[in-house]
Amino acid sequence: MQQKILSVQNLTKSFVMHLQNGLQLPVMDGAGFEVFAGECVVLGGPSGAGKSTLLKMIYGNYAADAGEIIITHGDQHTDLVTASPREILRLRQSTIGYVSQFLSAIPRVSALDLVAQVARQWGHSEEVAQEKAAKMLGQLNIPEHLWGLPPATFSGGEQQRVNIARGFMGEHKLLLLDEPTASLDAANRQVVLSLIEERKANGTAMLGIFHDADTRDKVADRVIDVTKFAVQRAA
Amino acid sequence: MSLDQLTNEAPAYNFAYLDEQTKRMIRRAILKGIAVPGYQVPFAAREMPMPYGWGTGGVQVTASVLGESDILKVIDQGADDTTNAVSIRNFFAKTANVELTTHTSEATVIQTRHRIPEEELQEHQTLVYQVPIPEPLRFLEPRETETRKMHALSEYGLIHVKLYEDIATHGHIATTYAYPVMVEGRYVMDPSPTPKFDNPKMHKSKALQLFGAGREKRIYALPPHTDVVSLDFEDHPFTIQEWPDTQCAMCGAEGVYFDEVILDDAGNNMFVCSDSDYCETRQSEGHLGPLNADYKERMQ
Amino acid sequence: MSLDQDLPLLSVKNLSHFYGQHLGCKDVNFDLYPGEVLAIVGESGSGKTTLLNCLSTQIIPTDGAVYYRGRKGQSDNLYEMSEAQQRILLRTDWGFVRQHPRDGLRMNVSAGANVGERLMALGDRHYGKIRDTALDWLEKVEIQVDRIDDAPRTFSGGMQQRLQIARNLVTNPRLVFMDEPTGGLDVSVQARLLDLIRRLVAELGLSIIIVTHDLAVARLLSDRIMVMKDGKVIEQGLTDQVLDDPHQAYTQLLVSSILHVGS
Ligand SMILES: Nc1ncnc2c1ncn2[C@@H]1O[C@H](COP(=O)(O)OP(=O)(O)O)[C@@H](O)[C@H]1O
Ligand SMILES: [Mg+2]
Ligand SMILES: [Zn+2]
C-alpha cells in the first residue's frame, strides 16, 4: 500500500461576486477523495464543474470555505485550508508542485537559467542543475540556440514548454497538473506523458486535468468525476 | 535731553558697548560652551554697529570677556593693519578704552579672523574667532533640525562624505580651510575659515578658544588642553599646507603660513609670513629674509 | 530551518495612527518573517505610507506596538527605543527606498559617496575600501562603474532608483521598506528594477515591506499582500490567493480595475 499524500474531506467553496450585487456562486460542496504516492488521478467532468477550482484550492491559490485538504510531507500532515500563507509557501517549495503552461514571465533570465534555478532550489549543484535543465529543454524540443535567451522573446508554444520544464524540474511529492498537454503537438505531448510516467515510477502523487480523452486514458490510474461534488443549482 | 546734546555729545557707552545684562547672557553661553567643548550654544545675538560678516559674533564675545586690565590684539588674516582689524580695534578703543597691542605675546585677548598666531598661545590668553557659518554639516544637510539631531546623536557619517567627495574629485582632501575637527571625541566642529595649517595649533592649546557667530547666533568653545583632531581617512591622512624650500622674504622664517605677494606683471612673486606681528618681531630680532632692504645692506 | 527563521522579524500589534482627528491607519496587525516580502496595496490616501512611516519609526503612532527582532535575537518594541537606537536601525539593519529619488539620495553628491555614506556613518575610515565597496554595489545594481563620481541628478530615473537600492543595501540590512519604488518609471524601466529587486531578495534573503498601488508589482515581488482601505487592512493573505480569489468587495474592485488598466 502506497503512502497517502493528499486527503480532501468535505471541501466547500463558493464565490461571492460583490461587483454583481453580491451574487453567490456555490461551486463545490463536500468534496472528498484521496491521492496516493505513485498514482496519477485525473479530475473529470464537463467544463464549469469545478476541476480547476479544486486544483487551485489544493495549491492554496483559492481559499476553501470549509473542509480539509491534508497534505502529507515527511511525517507531518498539514491542512492547507487553515495553513498560514507562510506554511503554504513552504509546502509549495517542499511538497506541492504545479505544472501549468501559464506562469508569470520572468524578464531577462535565460530559459536555461530559469529551469536550472528550480533544480538548484532542489539542492543540486550549479553544474548538475545546468545539466538537468539542458536535458529537460532538449527533451521538450526547445531549440538549443534559444536556451541562452529570456523566454519573453519566445513563441507561445516555446514559452509553454519552458513552463512545463520548470514544473517537472522540481522533485515535489505531489504534482498538480493543470492541462499540461493542451495545445502541444503530438511529439511534445508524448514527451509530457513520459515525464508523467517517470514521476509515477519514482513515487510522485499526481492530480491533473486533461481535456483530451486520449491523453487522459493514457495517464489516468483513476478518474474522479467532480460533478458529484458540484453544488446542484436550482434551475 | 536737548536735541543739541543728543547730536553733539558723544553718547555714554557702557564698557565695551554691550550692556551688562547682555554680557552676562553671552557669558552664560560661553560658560556652557566651555562646559561642552565643540557644542554650538545658541545665544541671543545683538545688533552691533557694524554689518554682519564683519565679525559681529566675535565682537560680542570679546566685549563680554573683556575686562579693564585686558590687553587686546585684533587680527584679520594674520595682519593687524587691515580695515577689518583696525575698525574692530578702534571700536574697542572707543568703547572700552583697554590697552591695545599688536604683539601676540603681550595680548590677553586676541580677536581673529582666519588665522591663529604663529607664536604659541599661553594659559593667560583667550583667542576669539569670528565665525561666519558655525555648522560643519550645513553644506550637505541644510535642515537645521536634522543637523542638530546629528550632533546630539553623534551621527557624523556625513562629514566624511564631504571628505570622500574631495578625494574623489581631486585625488586628495582638497579642503584647505574650515577643515572639520572632532572635539574631545564627541562633537564635530567647524574651526571657522582658518587654514587647516592652523588646525594642529588648536589641539591641546594652552589658551582658551572662543568662537562667535553673530548672524547665526551661535557660540562655541575649546577650553585649554582640549583634544582637537582633524578628520581624515586612514589612507588619506590629514596633512597641513607646506611650502617646501620657501622662506619668508622679509624675516627668513620657514615652516610658517605664507602669503604669496605678486611683485610685477611678469609674475614674479615672493612669500611673506601671513602673521605680520610674527614677521616684524623676527625682523626686529635680526632675522632677515632675502628681499628685506636691511638684508642687502647687511650683505654689502 | 533554523529557529531564527521561525520567529517573526517584525511583529505589529494594533497599530493606529491619527493625524489629529484624522485617521491615518487603524488596528493593523501582522507578523513579518525573515526573507518574506509583504506588499501593502490600496489606493492613494488609504494609509499605506502612514503605515510604512510608522513601521520605520519615522512617525511614532498614536497607538500600538511593533516588536523588532534584532541581530542578537532580542525582540524590542520600536517605540520604546531611544531615538538614537531607532536611527541606528534605520541606517544599518534597515533600508528605505523612497518613491522620489530626491528623498532617498543626496542628489548633489557623487554616486560613490551616496553608496559609501552608510559605511562612513558606521565608522569606516578607509577611502579605498569604501570606494571598492561602492564599485561593487554599483555593479550589482547594474550602474556602469565609470559613473561612480557622477552625481545622481545626472542619472535617469531608473538609475536613481537602483542607486537608492545600492545605498541602502550596502550595510546588509535585514529589512527594507519601499514606498512605491517603481512609481513614475516607464514600463520597461520598471521591469528591469523589479527584476533587480527580485534577484537581490533571492540572493540576500531580505525581508521587504513594499507599498504599491500597482497589483502587478505586488504579484511579481511579494509573498504576502495586505489590502488597505480608509486606513484599515481589509484583506490579507498569500499574494496570489488574495489577487486570484479576493473576498472583499473592495479587493474585487481593485483586481478587476487592474484588469482594465493592464494589458
Ligand atoms: N501628514 C499628514 N497630516 C494629516 N493627514 C495625513 C498626513 N499624511 C497622510 N494623511 C492622511 O492620512 C490618510 C492616509 O494617507 P497616506 O498614508 O498618505 O496614504 P497612502 O500612502 O496610502 O496614499 C489620508 O486620509 C491622508 O490624507
Ligand atoms: Mg503613499
Ligand atoms: Zn616673515
Side-chain angles (χ1 to χ4, degrees):
Chain A
M1 179 69 180
Q2 286 280 17
Q3 194 189 14
K4 191 195 296 175
I5 301 294
L6 169 67
S7 165
V8 173
Q9 303 289 335
N10 281 319
L11 201 62
T12 303
K13 172 72 179 167
S14 57
F15 292 101
V16 181
M17 318 295 276
H18 291 286
L19 304 185
Q20 293 163 48
N21 299 314
L23 176 72
Q24 295 259 353
L25 269 182
V27 180
M28 200 154 288
D29 190 11
F33 61 93
E34 295 168 336
V35 181
F36 293 83
E39 68 168 343
C40 180
V41 175
V42 172
L43 297 173
S47 145
K51 301 184 294 294
S52 294
T53 301
L54 190 52
L55 212 61
K56 286 177 174 174
M57 283 193 283
I58 296 169
Y59 194 58
N61 179 224
Y62 284 2
D65 300 342
E68 289 180 346
I69 301 171
I70 309 290
I71 308 282
T72 303
H73 49 110
D75 52 3
Q76 294 183 52
H77 309 279
T78 301
D79 182 359
L80 219 69
V81 174
T82 53
S84 68
R86 203 168 129 69
E87 286 173 305
I88 296 175
L89 285 175
R90 277 193 190 173
L91 280 174
R92 285 180 183 179
Q93 271 176 19
S94 69
T95 309
I96 316 172
Y98 198 87
V99 183
S100 148
Q101 302 185 348
F102 308 103
L103 255 178
S104 52
I106 300 164
R108 291 198 313 140
V109 177
S110 76
L112 189 71
D113 260 0
L114 210 52
V115 180
Q117 243 172 36
V118 181
R120 276 201 301 272
Q121 279 159 19
W122 282 90
H124 295 289
S125 69
E126 182 62 47
E127 204 186 333
V128 173
Q130 295 274 333
E131 261 170 41
K132 286 170 94 68
K135 180 162 170 257
M136 183 71 81
L137 288 175
Q139 260 181 300
L140 283 160
N141 301 303
I142 306 284
E144 195 168 341
H145 69 267
L146 293 180
W147 295 1
L149 302 176
T153 61
F154 293 8
S155 76
E158 288 157 353
Q159 287 192 20
Q160 286 172 0
R161 279 176 278 141
V162 170
N163 288 329
I164 290 170
R166 271 174 68 90
F168 279 106
M169 197 80 252
E171 297 166 22
H172 303 91
K173 272 282 175 214
L174 173 62
L175 262 193
L176 306 174
L177 308 170
D178 187 0
E179 301 197 46
T181 53
S183 76
L184 290 185
D185 59 30
N188 282 310
R189 185 176 313 138
Q190 192 48 51
V191 173
V192 171
L193 291 185
S194 58
L195 287 171
I196 292 173
E197 284 307 320
E198 265 174 48
R199 294 302 288 267
K200 254 195 225 181
N202 75 16
T204 303
M206 280 170 285
L207 179 67
I209 302 170
F210 294 86
H211 274 296
D212 171 54
D214 184 44
T215 311
R216 182 168 55 210
D217 293 346
K218 282 188 179 136
V219 297
D221 294 303
R222 288 188 286 139
V223 174
I224 295 174
D225 184 2
V226 301
T227 38
K228 66 181 182 194
F229 307 142
V231 177
Q232 301 307 312
R233 272 169 228 156
Chain B
M1 203 177 274
S2 72
L3 185 62
D4 188 49
Q5 275 176 313
L6 265 179
T7 47
N8 290 322
E9 237 172 67
Y13 289 114
N14 190 41
F15 178 77
Y17 184 77
L18 292 175
D19 64 84
E20 292 307 311
Q21 198 61 31
T22 299
K23 283 195 225 165
R24 269 199 289 277
M25 176 272 291
I26 293 175
R27 280 183 213 131
R28 274 197 297 274
I30 292 171
L31 282 173
K32 186 166 176 184
I34 291 170
V36 192
Y39 171 71
Q40 298 168 47
V41 184
F43 80 111
R46 292 296 142 92
E47 293 293 325
M48 298 302 284
M50 60 189 73
Y52 287 123
W54 283 74
T56 56
V59 167
Q60 288 177 79
V61 169
T62 299
S64 303
V65 300
L66 217 51
E68 282 170 10
S69 60
D70 270 313
I71 304 168
L72 178 68
K73 169 181 164 82
V74 181
I75 50 173
D76 176 8
Q77 318 244 27
D80 296 82
D81 55 0
T82 62
T83 319
N84 185 272
V86 169
S87 68
I88 291 173
R89 205 167 36 233
N90 287 345
F91 174 78
F92 283 114
K94 191 162 184 182
T95 60
N97 195 26
V98 289
E99 195 179 325
L100 302 170
T101 183
T102 58
H103 294 312
T104 299
S105 59
E106 282 175 7
T108 58
V109 175
I110 303 171
Q111 179 167 334
T112 179
R113 176 173 173 268
H114 297 193
R115 274 312 309 278
I116 299 176
E118 300 292 355
E119 194 176 335
E120 190 189 4
L121 300 180
Q122 302 301 321
E123 273 92 349
H124 67 284
Q125 297 182 300
T126 299
L127 185 60
V128 177
Y129 297 76
Q130 300 170 204
V131 180
I133 298 170
E135 179 48 72
L137 302 167
R138 170 89 38 95
F139 50 86
L140 284 169
E141 181 51 75
R143 288 170 300 174
E144 174 87 23
T145 48
E146 189 62 18
T147 53
R148 247 186 259 176
K149 202 163 275 173
M150 288 170 164
H151 285 295
L153 302 176
S154 251
E155 285 179 8
Y156 288 130
L158 208 50
I159 204 85
H160 274 87
V161 167
K162 163 79 166 75
L163 300 178
Y164 173 102
E165 286 294 81
D166 255 15
I167 303 172
T169 313
H170 306 285
H172 61 274
I173 299 178
T175 301
T176 52
Y177 62 91
Y179 191 106
V181 293
M182 171 63 83
V183 177
E184 283 291 320
R186 178 58 185 84
Y187 286 101
V188 166
M189 188 190 93
D190 185 326
S192 89
T194 50
K196 66 176 181 173
F197 180 89
D198 287 338
N199 275 19
K201 295 179 193 159
M202 296 183 156
H203 179 57
K204 294 202 181 295
S205 165
K206 293 176 192 160
L208 170 64
Q209 302 174 75
L210 303 176
F211 300 78
R215 186 175 31 211
E216 303 254 347
K217 302 182 169 50
R218 291 287 185 280
I219 284 171
Y220 49 102
L222 299 171
H225 310 290
T226 299
D227 267 340
V228 179
V229 178
S230 302
L231 299 174
D232 61 3
F233 286 100
E234 287 158 21
D235 48 342
H236 289 268
F238 172 78
T239 56
I240 59 170
Q241 293 101 327
E242 281 179 40
W243 289 262
D245 306 321
T246 302
Q247 55 170 308
C248 172
M250 291 297 133
C251 77
E254 293 173 4
V256 295
Y257 193 82
F258 286 112
D259 286 338
E260 185 179 3
V261 180
I262 304 295
L263 295 174
D264 54 32
D265 288 349
N268 286 313
N269 62 354
M270 65 171 183
F271 289 93
V272 293
C273 297
S274 135
D275 183 337
S276 55
D277 170 59
Y278 181 78
C279 196
E280 279 155 22
T281 304
R282 276 179 58 85
Q283 290 175 51
S284 69
E285 287 167 359
H287 301 285
L288 297 179
L291 293 186
N292 195 309
D294 296 340
Y295 180 87
K296 287 171 202 146
E297 210 168 274
R298 187 188 293 175
M299 287 294 117
Q300 281 158 11
Chain C
M1 210 153 278
S2 75
L3 187 67
D4 211 38
Q5 297 291 306
D6 284 331
L7 294 170
L9 189 63
L10 203 66
S11 209
V12 180
K13 310 276 188 208
N14 294 317
L15 194 81
S16 298
H17 186 67
F18 290 85
Y19 299 98
Q21 294 292 313
H22 190 89
L23 175 65
C25 63
K26 193 165 181 339
D27 293 333
V28 178
N29 284 284
F30 69 91
D31 285 338
L32 183 78
Y33 287 87
E36 258 188 333
V37 179
L38 171 72
I40 304 174
V41 303
E43 63 196 33
S44 170
S46 59
K48 308 181 297 290
T49 297
T50 301
L51 177 57
L52 204 64
N53 286 337
C54 286
L55 298 175
S56 57
T57 70
Q58 323 231 26
I59 296 180
I60 301 305
T62 318
D63 207 3
V66 174
Y67 295 91
Y68 179 70
R69 183 168 302 280
R71 286 188 194 254
K72 294 188 188 106
Q74 80 290 7
S75 194
D76 295 314
N77 185 348
L78 293 176
Y79 309 121
E80 285 168 4
M81 289 181 180
S82 67
E83 191 180 8
Q85 285 174 303
Q86 292 171 346
R87 287 171 67 108
I88 287 171
L89 272 182
L90 253 175
R91 60 169 196 269
T92 55
D93 227 16
W94 295 354
F96 204 129
V97 177
R98 316 264 170 189
Q99 174 173 3
H100 300 292
R102 62 167 183 272
D103 297 330
L105 290 173
R106 296 194 189 280
M107 293 307 257
N108 296 317
V109 161
S110 71
N114 265 286
V115 178
E117 181 175 344
R118 276 173 166 239
L119 298 175
M120 294 183 252
L122 285 180
D124 280 15
R125 291 293 177 264
H126 193 286
Y127 173 83
K129 288 181 193 159
I130 293 166
R131 197 171 168 84
D132 285 347
T133 310
L135 284 168
D136 235 33
W137 269 101
L138 290 183
E139 232 173 334
K140 280 189 196 154
V141 300
E142 301 163 11
I143 293 175
Q144 285 169 283
V145 292
D146 62 4
R147 302 299 302 271
I148 186 168
D149 293 327
D150 296 342
R153 68 184 143 68
T154 67
F155 288 6
S156 69
M159 281 168 76
Q160 290 175 346
Q161 290 308 62
R162 296 203 300 279
L163 183 62
Q164 264 206 81
I165 289 172
R167 168 177 162 87
N168 276 282
L169 295 191
V170 68
T171 53
N172 298 314
R174 297 192 299 158
L175 173 59
V176 179
F177 301 98
M178 300 186 172
D179 192 357
E180 305 272 12
T182 59
L185 297 178
D186 291 345
V187 176
S188 65
V189 177
Q190 266 194 31
R192 182 173 180 188
L193 184 66
L194 292 171
D195 207 37
L196 174 74
I197 296 173
R198 273 172 74 114
R199 184 161 59 70
L200 291 173
V201 167
E203 278 171 18
L204 306 172
L206 295 173
S207 302
I208 293 189
I209 299 182
I210 178 172
V211 158
T212 177
H213 63 265
D214 185 341
L215 299 188
V217 169
R219 190 189 280 276
L220 201 64
L221 287 183
S222 69
D223 303 310
R224 275 167 50 209
I225 198 167
M226 257 171 32
V227 182
M228 292 193 71
K229 180 172 193 294
D230 301 331
K232 290 182 203 128
V233 176
I234 55 147
E235 186 159 4
Q236 60 174 316
L238 200 61
T239 298
D240 61 283
Q241 194 179 92
V242 170
L243 295 181
D244 293 340
D245 185 13
H247 281 54
Q248 297 300 316
Y250 178 73
T251 313
Q252 291 184 358
L253 185 69
L254 267 188
V255 170
S256 70
S257 54
I258 190 74
L259 290 179
H260 294 305
V261 175
S263 65

